[in-house]
Amino acid sequence: MNQEISVNNQPQKSLLIPILIGIFCGILLGGFLPFWGKEIYFIGEIFINALLMLVTPLVITSMISSITGLGDIRLLKGMGLKTLTLYMITTGIAVILGLMLVVIIQPGVADTEAERLLLRGGQLLQNASYSIEPNNQVNVENDTFRKSFDDRYLVVLKDQNIVGKIDPSGENNQRSILVQEWQDSEGKIVTPETKGKGLVIDLTIAQKLSGKENSSIIDTLKRVVMSLLPKNLFQAMANNDVLPLIVISLIFGAILTTLDRGIILIDFFEVLNKAILKIVDLILLFSPVGIGALIAGRLGQAGGFSGFATEFLSLWKYSGTVILGLFLHGFIILPFLFYFITKGKPPFLFFRRMLPALTTAFSTASSSATIPVTLECAIKNNKINPKIADFVIPLSATVNMDGTALYEAVAAVFIAQIYGIELNLGQMIIIFLTATLAAIGAAGIPEAGLVTMVIVLKAVNIPVEGISLILVIDWFLDRCRTTVNVWGDAVVAAMVDKLESEVPHR
């Protein structure tokens, strides 16, 4: 049996090497020439737009084709129950793994003052000397400190317990920084005239939390339930809100099976679904360039290898804990479940055939944008029953988020460790439950990761502002956890395919 995707009779399997070459070239360009990496980022955006353009029509046609192709609509109950059960199992295991690792490694525990400040997003300036002039100019005698003033920062003079905020509209030259105002620990405006040691704290990343402090698990779940039936279906399509499209497609497909002349529309959606998959084939031909441009652009925005290294090293224990958890879940736990439930199918071969989807997930950091490629790889590369893949994968992209759940569990405990908050077993259980539910409830919410992170922190009374400490490296970890999310979607689809042998192939 041929296991390859065909595009105009050409094997899609041959795209894997070009995609890897594209990733490698993107890393080199964005790492060594960040300016040019940023300049070509628009090519990657074109690639993302092409995929997002197909999400709405593909979700609608694939879900309708899946439901109408079941023959006996009662099969949907068993398939849906198995799918949701596997979602909960894999997500629950991911959260438990994340909690175990963060408790064992303790990335938020530091021994020295400098390490504690670094974990809190600051940089201790042990050898920096400040002289504050009458015109509120801060003369700095330390290159490392001076180079850090690229945006809006907070300067703290520790020896004087005084804080100053940088004015982003002020001049920024090699020897001085214009300060908007200086305040003491009680908030009074002061004019210090001495020298002192201090630290720098980035304020810009904290601005992303604005308006999200009042989120709760109940409000979020209510919002998700309400989004299932939007006021304007076309607006949901325009916004690529997948969950309501899934619901209406399921209902519409089920009703079509009850109509005598419904076969006309059933055939129409079947053909339309195949046509859209052909368009996906064509878009994937440009994936090496698009994926390479996305990676080059994001590395360029981070300042190349040097900028990325600074971000990563400032939180290396936290980042390493998250990446280790994602690695263990993605390469040990999910393959074991796959091997056990599919009764001996080689997980490595399945993984290799899903690589185009996984590399797309890493470059786009979007499970929804990756849906067309995930379906393509699952159905044509791995021969998963199209009726099952069409049902499971779009739903998985909005509900099954193993990587996100693991990340939020690690981040919550990490922030607690930074603030010196000791979590008991009951609080750990609460984090487990809220991280699992919040990952499911993230569907259709803008900046879902931040919203659900707020929910997890508030559940155990951890300071919400602690999220700003991890956002500096979040752009990279987001790509890693999205890749695991998509990998988990594919594994669940394969396991449901094995468990639902009754479902006829089309």
Side-chain angles (χ1 to χ4, degrees):
M1 181 180 294
N2 183 18
Q3 299 290 324
E4 299 174 354
I5 299 176
S6 295
V7 182
N8 299 327
N9 297 323
Q10 295 298 319
Q12 170 103 5
K13 187 177 177 180
S14 61
L15 275 178
L16 180 57
I17 300 301
I19 287 175
L20 295 178
I21 293 174
I23 292 174
F24 180 73
C25 293
I27 291 173
L28 292 181
L29 180 62
F32 289 112
L33 300 171
F35 172 79
W36 290 107
K38 290 187 289 185
E39 287 295 306
I40 69 166
Y41 185 69
F42 77 97
I43 299 175
E45 289 182 312
I46 294 174
F47 176 66
I48 292 181
N49 290 343
L51 292 175
L52 287 173
M53 174 184 67
L54 297 178
V55 169
T56 292
L58 186 57
V59 167
I60 293 174
T61 58
S62 63
M63 293 300 291
I64 292 176
S65 298
S66 173
I67 299 306
T68 57
L70 287 176
D72 186 353
I73 200 67
R74 289 174 298 183
L75 293 175
L76 178 62
K77 180 181 178 181
M79 183 167 64
L81 183 60
K82 291 182 178 68
T83 300
L84 293 176
T85 301
L86 288 172
Y87 287 167
M88 297 303 295
I89 291 174
T90 57
T91 303
I93 292 174
V95 174
I96 292 173
L97 175 62
L99 289 174
M100 290 175 59
L101 289 176
V102 74
V103 169
I104 294 172
I105 298 174
Q106 294 189 318
V109 177
D111 298 326
T112 66
E113 181 186 19
E115 290 176 351
R116 283 192 292 272
L117 292 172
L118 193 62
L119 286 173
R120 289 176 180 262
Q123 176 187 3
L124 185 63
L125 307 168
Q126 308 240 0
N127 301 318
S129 178
Y130 310 79
S131 59
I132 298 135
E133 308 298 337
N135 61 355
N136 275 352
Q137 294 279 336
V138 182
N139 294 321
V140 184
E141 299 177 6
N142 182 286
D143 288 340
T144 303
F145 179 79
R146 183 172 64 247
K147 290 176 182 176
S148 68
F149 285 100
D150 296 324
D151 210 326
R152 196 170 195 167
Y153 289 84
L154 193 69
V155 185
V156 180
L157 302 185
K158 287 189 64 60
D159 290 355
Q160 304 173 74
N161 199 23
I162 292 174
V163 175
K165 182 182 288 186
I166 299 304
D167 183 357
S169 62
E171 296 182 3
N172 184 352
N173 56 46
Q174 289 188 346
R175 298 303 299 171
S176 62
I177 311 297
L178 181 63
V179 173
Q180 189 175 24
E181 64 182 23
W182 291 92
Q183 299 177 346
D184 61 15
S185 58
E186 298 179 353
K188 297 178 181 179
I189 304 299
V190 297
T191 305
E193 298 178 353
T194 59
K195 298 182 179 181
K197 298 177 183 178
L199 63 112
V200 183
I201 298 177
D202 190 344
L203 296 178
T204 56
I205 54 179
Q207 295 174 357
K208 295 183 179 180
L209 295 175
S210 178
K212 299 179 176 62
E213 297 86 350
N214 297 324
S215 300
S216 69
I217 187 67
I218 301 299
D219 292 337
T220 301
L221 292 177
K222 283 181 180 178
R223 194 183 314 174
V224 171
V225 172
M226 291 180 64
S227 71
L228 297 179
L229 294 174
K231 293 180 180 179
N232 190 325
L233 183 60
F234 292 99
Q235 184 178 0
M237 293 179 184
N239 295 333
N240 276 325
D241 293 338
V242 176
L243 206 53
L245 298 182
I246 290 174
V247 172
I248 195 66
S249 298
L250 287 174
I251 297 172
F252 188 72
I255 291 176
L256 280 180
T257 60
T258 66
L259 301 177
D260 293 336
R261 301 187 62 185
I263 189 64
I264 299 174
L265 281 178
I266 291 174
D267 290 341
F268 168 77
F269 282 110
E270 182 78 22
V271 174
L272 185 58
N273 185 52
K274 291 180 179 179
I276 294 173
L277 287 176
K278 287 293 184 181
I279 298 176
V280 175
D281 289 341
L282 296 176
I283 293 175
L284 285 179
L285 293 176
F286 299 93
S287 59
V289 177
I291 291 173
L294 286 171
I295 292 176
R298 198 55 192 84
L299 260 179
Q301 292 170 10
F305 286 138
S306 60
F308 173 71
T310 301
E311 293 177 354
F312 188 84
L313 291 176
S314 66
L315 293 167
W316 71 271
K317 287 182 71 175
Y318 161 71
S319 303
T321 303
V322 174
I323 293 172
L324 176 61
L326 295 175
F327 176 85
L328 292 176
H329 187 72
F331 287 92
I332 305 296
I333 294 174
L334 288 178
F336 172 78
L337 291 174
F338 175 90
Y339 183 85
F340 177 75
I341 292 181
T342 61
K343 302 189 184 307
K345 285 188 177 180
F348 176 76
L349 182 61
F350 182 82
F351 174 83
R352 182 168 63 85
R353 291 170 177 166
M354 289 301 304
L355 271 177
L358 301 180
T359 53
T360 302
F362 182 83
S363 62
T364 63
S366 171
S367 298
S368 295
T370 312
I371 288 175
V373 189
T374 309
L375 280 171
E376 188 84 355
C377 293
I379 295 171
K380 295 189 176 180
N381 274 16
N382 282 303
K383 300 301 179 183
I384 294 177
N385 187 339
K387 295 182 180 65
I388 291 176
D390 287 342
F391 172 81
V392 173
I393 287 177
L395 185 61
S396 296
T398 58
V399 176
N400 185 43
M401 299 187 179
D402 297 356
T404 300
L406 184 149
Y407 150 81
E408 291 185 350
V410 172
V413 179
F414 169 73
I415 294 171
Q417 290 173 349
I418 288 178
Y419 283 99
I421 300 172
E422 294 186 8
L423 300 173
N424 56 38
L425 179 60
Q427 290 172 310
M428 287 291 190
I429 294 175
I430 292 174
I431 290 177
F432 166 78
L433 294 174
T434 52
T436 303
L437 291 174
I440 295 173
I445 301 173
E447 295 185 292
L450 289 180
V451 175
T452 54
M453 194 70 249
V454 169
I455 293 170
V456 175
L457 294 181
K458 289 182 66 176
V460 286
N461 296 318
I462 299 173
V464 173
E465 59 270 18
I467 299 177
S468 63
L469 309 179
I470 61 176
L471 291 184
V472 66
I473 195 64
D474 188 66
W475 68 269
F476 176 72
L477 297 180
D478 187 18
R479 282 157 167 72
C480 297
R481 63 179 182 261
T482 301
T483 304
V484 173
N485 288 343
V486 172
W487 172 230
D489 298 345
V491 169
V492 168
M495 292 190 292
V496 174
D497 184 42
K498 182 65 178 181
L499 296 173
E500 285 292 299
S501 57
E502 300 178 341
V503 176
H505 282 255
R506 67 168 181 255

